[in-house]
Amino acid sequence: MLSSIDQTWDSSSDQPLAIQNDYKPVLASLNFDHHVDGADPYPYESSSLASIVTCCVRDSVAPKYRNIVGPSLQQICLSSLDPSQSPWMYDSNIGRLEQGRPVYDKPTVMMYTEAYFGHFVQKFPYITQEQVSFYVHAFLGDNFKDDSAAVGLINTMLAQGCRLVLSTKTGDYDHATTEAKKYYAAALNARSRLVGVQPSILTIQSLVAMTIHARDLQNLSIAYSLVSSAVQHCLALKLHRIKSLRAAAKDQPESELLQRLFWVVYSLEKPLAMRLGRSSAINDESIDYTPRMLTSHSDKGNYNTFLHYCEWAKMCSQVVSKLYRNASSAAHGEDIEHTTSSLTESLQSWRISTTQSIRSRRDSSCSTDDTSDQVDSLLRYHELTVTILHQGDLCVQSAREVLAQAHNWELDGAHPDWLLLQVPMLACCILLIDIFSSDDVQSRTFRENVSYLSMASAWFARLITRSKQDIPFKQIMSLVAMAQQKCFG
């Protein structure tokens, strides 16, 4: 059997095969009238939500409505559910913009990096406090070489910390984002220093920091490119093999750091590959240890959150490999039914475990982090439910839960996650497809769906105001009006 490196890397290129093949959604040329009864949908479709929803329109919407609602739903998919065309991403040429010099005085740098470590590294433990302190002091002392990977690492931490601190202090998210862009531009300019270099732990850490930031900025294509480079370095250093990893570490703490670093890369790469409909560069069968082998982490509460991220990423990997791989090796018929049932049970267990973990961390009052983790858990659950099942009662039930809770979510000072826009949009699409799947106008279920869709209008109105981006609000409201007319006359 080929190694994971041999399978995913072209020796004539410094990029993984998944990056060389640009993401090409199947949406633009889709014929809504084309459907083959009894055909297995999974092996021929992308795991991206845009592809799933569009194929559900083709396969489930009643012929009477397909060409009426289909184009609007397709437009929603292209503009909102396709992560390569995210409406919240930074300017693509940000690295070339003249935005003024970022602030590098010691108090500011210390404040932003401390905020970053407390908020991000506790959930993605890829670097230690001692390492951050060392790099920060070296940065302030101008002790870095121009080609040091730490330049990108520090500037990314400053960008994230700046957004967090300023948005929390002032409530002015636009100002916080503008100031953070100055650091992010410096980080992007340093990105070239991470290409074609010898694999190193510092380079991986810098790529991880930039991946998390790009993901939070909704630029999933750049995030995937960055994390794929991190995967290349991890595989070259054999961080996926416990014996090689321990041999490279000078002591037990460093061994545990390298294990955490690898699983952070894993937990970032697998969901990004799934959302973009791309192949993962990590062969799960080549990994011979789990993140649960780490027992000495000081903050068990936050580390449990990280473990849940790893477990969810593992499910993303299983979903893609078992349901969306090549048709020649994919399961069919009863095998797919058994696979989807097994994956759904695992997802339900993951959600129960995550919910219990969040509750166990609470004091008498609900903290902001706990609330954020609850929302994150719900959004991830719904995303994967639809990716596994495409449609059906469980998808409808999950969509209703998302829309029923959306109006309670707080945006001020938050770091907007890709899921905060896409999953409510996905939930609307699922309910609309359910409503238009039959000519039945008296269905109580359909009428209940309309009431949940009405709840979504306030959430999307807030998103338009908050993000100042062109999301397909009019298309959604037009389809909701059509659904109301269908169900209530």
Side-chain angles (χ1 to χ4, degrees):
M1 179 181 294
L2 292 174
S3 71
S4 56
I5 298 178
D6 293 329
Q7 290 173 333
T8 56
W9 293 88
D10 182 352
S11 60
S12 65
S13 170
D14 63 354
Q15 289 187 316
L17 297 176
I19 295 179
Q20 296 177 43
N21 298 322
D22 292 336
Y23 173 63
K24 297 176 180 177
V26 299
L27 310 178
S29 60
L30 183 62
N31 181 353
F32 289 114
D33 292 324
H34 177 70
H35 172 69
V36 180
D37 291 335
D40 172 17
Y42 292 99
Y44 305 100
E45 296 171 6
S46 163
S47 58
S48 72
L49 297 180
S51 174
I52 292 171
V53 169
T54 308
C55 291
C56 284
V57 173
R58 178 197 66 197
D59 298 337
S60 302
V61 172
K64 176 180 178 181
Y65 302 108
R66 192 173 301 150
N67 289 325
I68 299 174
V69 303
S72 293
L73 284 168
Q74 186 179 24
Q75 181 59 40
I76 292 169
C77 290
L78 286 169
S79 61
S80 293
L81 294 182
D82 177 359
S84 68
Q85 302 187 39
S86 173
W88 273 352
M89 67 176 63
Y90 273 159
D91 303 302
S92 59
N93 63 340
I94 185 174
R96 298 188 294 272
L97 296 179
E98 295 294 334
Q99 302 182 62
R101 179 175 172 78
V103 177
Y104 289 127
D105 62 82
K106 183 175 181 179
T108 300
V109 170
M110 296 299 293
M111 177 173 58
Y112 289 167
T113 53
E114 288 174 5
Y116 175 85
F117 188 88
H119 186 81
F120 292 98
V121 179
Q122 295 303 316
K123 295 182 179 180
F124 295 98
Y126 70 93
I127 193 169
T128 66
Q129 181 74 69
E130 291 75 19
Q131 286 179 312
V132 172
S133 178
F134 173 80
Y135 291 135
V136 166
H137 283 91
F139 182 80
L140 290 171
D142 201 22
N143 295 327
F144 283 144
K145 296 180 180 179
D146 290 340
D147 62 349
S148 173
V151 173
L153 173 64
I154 293 296
N155 277 288
T156 303
M157 289 193 294
L158 291 173
Q160 290 278 65
C162 176
R163 290 178 74 216
L164 180 64
V165 170
L166 294 184
S167 60
T168 301
K169 278 187 174 181
T170 67
D172 188 343
Y173 184 83
D174 291 337
H175 173 67
T177 300
T178 298
E179 291 301 308
K181 283 182 179 181
K182 298 176 183 178
Y183 296 106
Y184 187 50
L188 286 183
N189 287 334
R191 183 183 175 189
S192 61
R193 301 165 187 164
L194 308 178
V195 178
V197 299
Q198 288 295 319
S200 71
I201 302 306
L202 174 58
T203 300
I204 298 173
Q205 290 172 322
S206 183
L207 288 165
V208 165
M210 296 179 72
T211 298
I212 294 172
H213 193 41
R215 185 204 63 169
D216 286 352
L217 299 174
Q218 321 311 313
N219 200 330
L220 300 198
S221 294
I222 287 183
Y224 180 75
S225 175
L226 290 164
V227 78
S228 294
S229 296
V231 169
Q232 181 186 21
H233 287 284
C234 285
L235 297 180
L237 295 174
K238 297 183 179 181
L239 299 188
H240 59 304
R241 310 293 294 183
I242 192 65
K243 185 176 180 180
S244 299
L245 182 150
R246 287 173 174 168
K250 66 178 183 292
D251 52 30
Q252 180 63 20
E254 184 174 20
S255 173
E256 294 201 356
L257 169 64
L258 297 184
Q259 292 176 61
R260 291 196 302 272
L261 177 60
F262 172 78
W263 281 105
V264 167
V265 172
Y266 182 99
S267 68
L268 291 169
E269 194 259 10
K270 290 294 185 177
L272 284 169
M274 181 184 75
R275 290 168 185 169
L276 288 164
R278 291 171 171 168
S279 299
S280 169
I282 301 175
N283 179 1
D284 286 26
E285 295 181 0
S286 70
I287 306 170
D288 62 359
Y289 67 98
T290 74
R292 289 194 175 274
M293 292 172 61
L294 298 164
T295 58
S296 63
H297 198 272
S298 60
D299 189 342
K300 294 297 184 182
N302 281 313
Y303 192 69
N304 283 335
T305 300
F306 171 62
L307 287 177
H308 290 307
Y309 286 151
C310 294
E311 291 164 356
W312 189 79
K314 180 69 174 179
M315 284 188 289
C316 292
S317 178
Q318 292 174 344
V319 167
V320 173
S321 65
K322 292 181 179 180
L323 297 180
Y324 294 91
R325 54 188 175 176
N326 293 333
S328 60
S329 61
H332 293 270
E334 293 182 359
D335 290 337
I336 279 192
E337 184 177 350
H338 173 75
T339 300
T340 55
S341 177
S342 176
L343 290 170
T344 302
E345 289 178 6
S346 297
L347 180 58
Q348 295 277 18
S349 298
W350 172 84
R351 190 181 186 192
I352 292 172
S353 174
T354 303
T355 302
Q356 291 175 342
S357 177
I358 293 171
R359 288 175 178 172
S360 68
R361 295 203 310 266
R362 286 182 181 169
D363 297 321
S364 56
S365 61
C366 183
S367 71
T368 302
D369 284 344
D370 287 339
T371 302
S372 175
D373 288 342
Q374 280 183 301
V375 174
D376 183 78
S377 173
L378 171 62
L379 297 176
R380 290 173 186 269
Y381 169 80
H382 182 64
E383 178 189 18
L384 210 48
T385 295
V386 175
T387 307
I388 295 170
L389 299 175
H390 288 195
Q391 55 192 307
D393 292 342
L394 189 57
C395 288
V396 170
Q397 176 185 342
S398 179
R400 290 178 172 185
E401 185 178 1
V402 168
L403 297 182
Q405 296 189 28
H407 69 281
N408 292 321
W409 299 341
E410 294 295 333
L411 285 171
D412 292 340
H415 289 251
D417 192 288
W418 182 82
L419 297 174
L420 276 174
L421 171 63
Q422 270 70 14
V423 170
M425 195 73 70
L426 170 67
C428 286
C429 291
I430 293 299
L431 296 188
L432 286 165
I433 290 171
D434 187 54
I435 290 172
F436 290 107
S437 64
S438 170
D439 290 337
D440 183 5
V441 297
Q442 301 298 325
S443 171
R444 177 181 177 184
T445 299
F446 293 167
R447 294 187 176 190
E448 290 175 350
N449 283 347
V450 171
S451 66
Y452 284 96
L453 287 168
S454 299
M455 297 178 186
S457 60
W459 170 246
F460 291 123
R462 289 171 63 198
L463 282 179
I464 291 174
T465 303
R466 178 68 166 75
S467 64
K468 297 184 178 179
Q469 297 291 341
D470 183 22
I471 64 175
F473 180 74
K474 291 182 179 179
Q475 289 93 331
I476 284 285
M477 292 301 100
S478 175
L479 289 172
V480 171
M482 291 173 61
Q484 291 173 331
Q485 185 176 10
K486 174 184 182 294
C487 294
F488 300 103

